[in-house]
Amino acid sequence: MIARWVFNEKSDGKIENDVHDEFAPYILKNQRLTQGFLPEIRTGISSSAVWLDGYSDYIESAFKMPSVQNFSISAWIALRTYTGYKKASAAIINQCDMNKQEGFFLGITGDGCLDFQVGTGNKWVSLASDFMLNKSEWHHIQAFVSNKEINLYVNGKPAAKAELQGFTFKPAYVPLLIGKNNCEERIANVFIPNMFSGLINEITLSETMNLSEDEFFNYDLLPKISEEQISLNRDRWKDDHHRPQFHASPPGHWMNEPHAPFYYKGKYHLFYQHNPQGPYWGNIHWGHWVSEDLVNWKDTLIALAPSNNDIDTVGTWSGNASFDENGDPVLFFTAGNDAFTPNQMIGLAKSTVKEDQDLDLKNWIKHPESVLQQPRCMDLHHDGFRDPFVWKEGDQWYQLVGSGFENKGGTIPVFTSKDLIHWEFRGSLIDIPHEKYPYLGEIWELPVLLPISNDKHILIISPIGKNAEVEIFYWLGKWSPEYATFSPDSEQPKKIDLSTFHFTGPSGMVDPKSGKIVLFSIAQGERSVEKEFESGWAHTAGMPVMLSLANDGELTIEPVESVASLRKKSLLSINDEPVKSANFLLQKVKGDMLEIMLEVETEKSFDLIVRKTPDGEEQTVFSYNADVHSFSVNRTKTTLDASERTGGIQGGTLSRRLSTISIRLLLDKSLLEAYINKSHSLTTRVYPSRSDALGIGISGPDDLKIHSLKIWEMKSIYY
């Protein structure tokens, strides 16, 4: 035996070689600059295992592989994810210089196959298994090298073989790495997509070559791996002073739009676009949350994942939920597949709840083929056929798909079906003169159509592409199920939120408990890829909001009622106080997880200041301008950190003027959501550099009267 590492140490930063004490130890490392996390030591098969996060954790050693004629490498591993990265495999253990054709590499391909590579100095040999290793299961992997052949084994059974002639292994004099490829790739010059994600229980290097299947124990008796044992540990980010705590977020890494909400037997389900490999876009899965009240969300298993064995080979992108003829949940998703143009089609997955009775709906089975592809008769956009929205009326299902006309603008093809599998094209849902509204872009993503009153529907889109304002726009109007068309009351769409690119990615449902529309969104972050790399997470869900019509026919927006259940304690409650008295009382109120409700007369302008340092060096200012009846947020002094992108002024004119202006502000670390007169929201992000940026103040003329001011401390839904 040359070397053996079993990872029994308890996070002191070093892993000793069990065979030769004189060999340099492995050093546990993390590439993030600010967090200082080490790879975690977790429960293994019979001892401990090292857990690697898939993008920043790895282990390095100065150990040098000797020049041996024959050698073997073995390891116990459990994969948390496949990388989805086709260009280079993720390393389990390697010490190689592929340019010089020296050293060895043992790893996993982007789609989950065992991969072994080795060099002689003038020749490089590669071989891989033709089957994928199941995720969240223990596997014993082995590679045997001689001058005649290479053999790969998985759980004692042959996985691949290569015949050689006169092969002589040549070591590479580079660091020996576990979890990180010596020949790393880069995305955006920051992220390394070909790193190992999961558990490694033991690694052994040996000159032993004898092997027969009957020498191995019964692999069917391997212990099961629990979710806690292999999943991302949310506690890693518990002390991150920028990470929201009472909004839904993934356990870690990347998310974009939440989607496919539905209610089933007492539980709300909400999915989200998720890269479990790291905090960057790509390798998109469907993350899954479950809730009983729309605000307290529980993490559960990834619902859908891309796979070479399915239609979604490059990504399982956004979609929608519905119910089949038996009332069982089904998911419609965008299947990313580069073998097609556009590389998007619509897939279907069905819940296994009838078989397993699991009301958390952790398991879904994909239909083997796509159920819908882009029609060829409409001159639709070459990169636009995604984000299905499906519902049932009578005995018929309807499906909207986000798309656009080539060189014109966005559109929404409509389809109908009697069985969820076979769909008939019915034409475009809405006709809008694109030249009049260039800000609606080339493609309309994430279409949502829901009844908002007895005779009105709301149609919601998110434009993308050339000239697009990537925001949430809507029309009110009439839906005709007979003709599968929507006739807007007004040709020009309206925006719900007054910010810029922080309230996007719409999905919605009619809540069967309240009868109101609940709209979900992503609260886009505003950070550089370097900051997202360092922090280990990217983006947050917005607070679910209720949409309805006011007596004047205008849209109203407010947080779901259960937000009030998150109030921890009252910090201030005053009525009919002059602004000077209010500010005196506010001196004792501080926090970065707050709900603020403020009501002020409309005739006077004022500022609501939050995340303020005692000296005012950092502060975020919400402003009401009475002269033009507008509301905005000024972030020019939000942070002193020059590497943060937060800045500028966002806002707009309010649609209705009332005798008082009412502001409800949800402040959750870096996420701020203001609701003004229930007619608009303003969502923004802030990243103060100072830990004392916790103060609150109100600025206005001396005769400004505060009709009402209430402030509550909010509790975390996770800790």
Side-chain angles (χ1 to χ4, degrees):
M1 190 173 290
I2 300 170
R4 181 170 175 262
W5 299 273
V6 294
F7 309 108
N8 277 330
E9 290 80 358
K10 298 300 179 185
S11 68
D12 64 350
K14 296 181 180 180
I15 301 293
E16 300 295 337
N17 186 331
D18 280 5
V19 179
H20 297 288
D21 292 339
E22 70 274 14
F23 286 159
Y26 277 15
I27 308 298
L28 281 68
K29 291 193 174 184
N30 184 292
Q31 298 182 114
R32 280 179 279 171
L33 302 178
T34 59
Q35 296 290 358
F37 294 128
L38 290 175
E40 297 178 26
I41 303 298
R42 297 188 180 180
T43 303
I45 294 180
S46 58
S47 58
S48 297
V50 64
W51 180 90
L52 303 178
D53 68 4
Y55 89 101
S56 68
D57 290 345
Y58 69 103
I59 305 173
E60 181 176 326
S61 176
F63 170 85
K64 301 299 182 185
M65 182 70 172
S67 297
V68 291
Q69 184 66 20
N70 304 323
F71 70 93
S72 67
I73 307 172
S74 67
W76 283 102
I77 66 166
L79 294 164
R80 185 173 66 86
T81 67
Y82 306 147
T83 69
Y85 191 71
K86 310 300 187 200
K87 294 182 180 180
S89 296
I92 298 168
I93 180 171
N94 68 142
Q95 190 172 40
C96 64
D97 186 332
M98 294 183 185
N99 291 326
K100 293 182 178 180
Q101 299 183 326
E102 297 174 348
F104 69 90
F105 174 95
L106 180 65
I108 301 292
T109 65
D111 52 7
C113 298
L114 184 63
D115 181 21
F116 182 74
Q117 304 174 40
V118 66
T120 66
N122 54 30
K123 183 179 182 180
W124 190 252
V125 180
S126 302
L127 71 159
S129 66
D130 59 2
F131 59 89
M132 298 183 294
L133 278 63
N134 292 334
K135 289 178 279 190
S136 298
E137 294 181 9
W138 285 114
H139 298 283
H140 189 254
I141 58 172
Q142 297 169 298
F144 291 82
V145 180
S146 72
N147 63 348
K148 296 181 179 180
E149 61 185 18
I150 301 173
N151 287 277
L152 301 186
Y153 288 81
V154 175
N155 291 342
K157 296 181 179 180
K161 182 176 181 178
E163 301 288 344
L164 305 174
Q165 289 185 349
F167 184 89
T168 302
F169 167 69
K170 185 174 183 181
Y173 294 101
V174 295
L176 190 146
L177 302 177
I178 290 176
K180 181 181 177 183
N181 199 315
N182 283 119
C183 303
E184 66 184 38
E185 298 283 328
R186 291 273 176 171
I187 292 177
N189 294 318
V190 173
F191 294 102
I192 303 173
N194 56 325
M195 294 183 69
F196 182 84
S197 174
L199 294 164
I200 302 176
N201 190 93
E202 178 183 318
I203 294 178
T204 301
L205 295 173
S206 174
E207 292 187 70
T208 305
M209 294 300 300
N210 57 323
L211 174 74
S212 62
E213 289 188 35
D214 59 4
E215 291 177 359
F216 292 90
F217 63 87
N218 188 347
Y219 290 94
D220 294 332
L221 299 179
L222 288 173
K224 299 291 184 182
I225 295 176
S226 67
E227 293 179 43
E228 181 181 7
Q229 192 175 353
I230 199 166
S231 297
L232 282 170
N233 182 358
R234 180 178 288 277
D235 285 351
R236 272 196 165 201
W237 295 275
K238 184 175 181 179
D239 298 323
D240 187 330
H241 63 282
H242 288 315
R243 192 166 199 223
Q245 290 194 16
F246 62 87
H247 288 72
S249 63
H253 296 179
W254 171 273
M255 71 162 283
N256 47 296
E257 59 261 21
H259 57 268
F262 67 93
Y263 183 79
Y264 182 73
K265 294 189 176 181
K267 296 186 178 185
Y268 295 96
H269 295 264
L270 183 61
F271 303 84
Y272 58 94
Q273 297 282 267
H274 178 46
N275 182 359
Q277 192 74 17
Y280 58 94
W281 189 90
N283 192 33
I284 295 298
H285 295 52
W286 276 36
H288 185 187
W289 298 307
V290 179
S291 175
E292 295 181 358
D293 62 2
L294 290 170
V295 293
N296 289 282
W297 295 97
K298 179 181 73 173
D299 299 317
T300 187
L301 294 179
I302 286 172
L304 300 176
S307 170
N308 274 359
N309 292 335
D310 298 311
I311 58 172
D312 48 347
T313 58
V314 298
T316 312
W317 300 329
S318 291
N320 172 238
S322 188
F323 298 92
D324 66 15
E325 65 280 1
N326 299 315
D328 296 330
V330 293
L331 302 178
F332 286 85
F333 60 92
T334 306
N337 192 319
D338 286 340
F340 295 82
T341 301
N343 67 344
Q344 304 136 42
M345 64 188 87
I346 309 305
L348 170 68
K350 294 192 174 186
S351 169
T352 62
V353 65
K354 277 294 195 316
E355 291 76 28
D356 56 31
Q357 302 298 308
D358 175 20
L359 293 183
D360 279 350
L361 306 181
K362 295 177 182 176
N363 299 305
W364 301 81
I365 297 176
K366 295 178 191 173
H367 190 69
E369 299 175 348
S370 66
V371 296
L372 190 59
Q373 296 186 19
Q374 187 186 78
R376 300 302 175 188
C377 58
M378 291 181 66
D379 192 28
L380 292 177
H381 197 280
H382 67 279
D383 186 31
F385 194 74
R386 53 186 177 266
D387 308 332
F389 183 82
V390 181
W391 75 99
K392 189 178 185 182
E393 286 188 51
D395 63 350
Q396 185 163 253
W397 284 274
Y398 293 83
Q399 180 172 183
L400 311 180
V401 181
S403 191
F405 293 112
E406 195 72 51
N407 300 317
K408 292 182 180 179
T411 190
I412 303 172
V414 187
F415 306 84
T416 55
S417 175
K418 296 292 186 181
D419 62 3
L420 295 174
I421 304 296
H422 305 91
W423 292 86
E424 177 187 359
F425 173 55
R426 298 290 299 275
S428 289
L429 176 70
I430 184 174
D431 184 20
I432 294 293
H434 302 98
E435 65 278 2
K436 290 178 65 175
Y437 308 105
Y439 56 84
L440 292 182
E442 298 176 281
I443 297 169
W444 294 348
E445 291 190 324
L446 301 158
V448 175
L449 180 67
L450 292 168
I452 198 165
S453 70
N454 290 333
D455 61 348
K456 295 270 187 198
H457 274 65
I458 184 170
L459 174 62
I460 302 171
I461 62 165
S462 182
I464 196 170
K466 185 179 179 181
N467 298 320
E469 291 184 23
V470 185
E471 310 290 343
I472 295 178
F473 289 89
Y474 73 94
W475 294 270
L476 298 174
K478 296 272 190 180
W479 154 247
S480 169
E482 180 182 0
Y483 298 104
T485 57
F486 176 80
S487 301
D489 294 344
S490 173
E491 182 183 270
Q492 184 172 358
K494 297 179 180 179
K495 282 176 59 176
I496 294 175
D497 198 87
L498 299 174
S499 69
T500 303
F501 198 59
H502 292 302
F503 181 81
T504 68
S507 61
M509 61 178 283
V510 175
D511 179 13
K513 295 173 72 174
S514 69
K516 290 188 176 182
I517 291 174
V518 177
L519 182 70
F520 302 86
S521 66
I522 175 177
Q524 295 274 5
E526 196 173 21
R527 313 190 83 180
S528 66
V529 291
E530 291 81 7
K531 284 289 186 182
E532 290 172 343
F533 179 92
E534 293 170 16
S535 65
W537 59 275
H539 309 305
T540 312
M543 185 61 67
V545 295
M546 298 182 296
L547 303 181
S548 58
L549 294 184
N551 292 333
D552 60 3
E554 293 294 317
L555 187 70
T556 69
I557 176 173
E558 55 187 321
V560 291
E561 293 177 351
S562 47
V563 167
S565 69
L566 300 179
R567 294 169 182 168
K568 194 172 181 180
K569 64 179 179 179
S570 174
L571 301 180
L572 184 66
S573 179
I574 59 174
N575 294 287
D576 297 323
E577 291 281 353
V579 66
K580 186 175 182 180
S581 298
N583 274 319
F584 177 77
L585 296 171
L586 282 171
Q587 292 179 28
K588 296 183 179 181
V589 180
K590 301 185 185 307
D592 58 5
M593 290 174 61
L594 303 172
E595 180 181 4
I596 302 172
M597 297 184 73
L598 173 65
E599 195 171 290
V600 180
E601 56 190 315
T602 313
E603 289 77 13
K604 296 180 174 64
S605 301
F606 67 90
D607 297 333
L608 171 61
I609 306 163
V610 296
R611 300 305 306 267
K612 179 184 177 182
T613 56
D615 56 9
E617 236 188 349
E618 291 187 339
Q619 57 182 311
T620 296
V621 182
F622 289 92
S623 298
Y624 171 67
N625 186 317
D627 294 333
V628 295
H629 193 51
S630 66
F631 190 78
S632 61
V633 60
N634 187 328
R635 302 178 304 157
T636 56
K637 294 179 68 177
T638 287
T639 182
L640 297 172
D641 186 346
S643 65
E644 294 286 7
R645 293 178 171 177
T646 304
I649 299 173
Q650 300 177 346
T653 303
L654 302 176
S655 60
R656 61 168 74 91
R657 184 185 285 269
L658 304 176
S659 59
T660 59
I661 181 165
S662 173
I663 300 170
R664 185 176 182 182
L665 178 64
L666 299 179
L667 192 168
D668 190 4
K669 302 291 186 177
S670 63
L671 174 56
L672 284 74
E673 297 162 314
Y675 302 91
I676 311 100
N677 287 352
K678 296 185 180 180
S679 63
H680 294 279
S681 61
L682 197 164
T683 305
T684 195
R685 300 303 291 254
V686 298
Y687 305 94
S689 65
R690 288 174 49 174
S691 60
D692 60 349
L694 302 171
I696 303 169
I698 299 174
S699 175
D702 290 342
D703 59 348
L704 178 70
K705 179 174 283 190
I706 308 301
H707 290 326
S708 174
L709 175 60
K710 301 180 188 297
I711 303 177
W712 293 270
E713 182 182 357
M714 302 293 274
K715 61 185 177 183
S716 170
I717 65 174
Y718 294 113
Y719 307 113

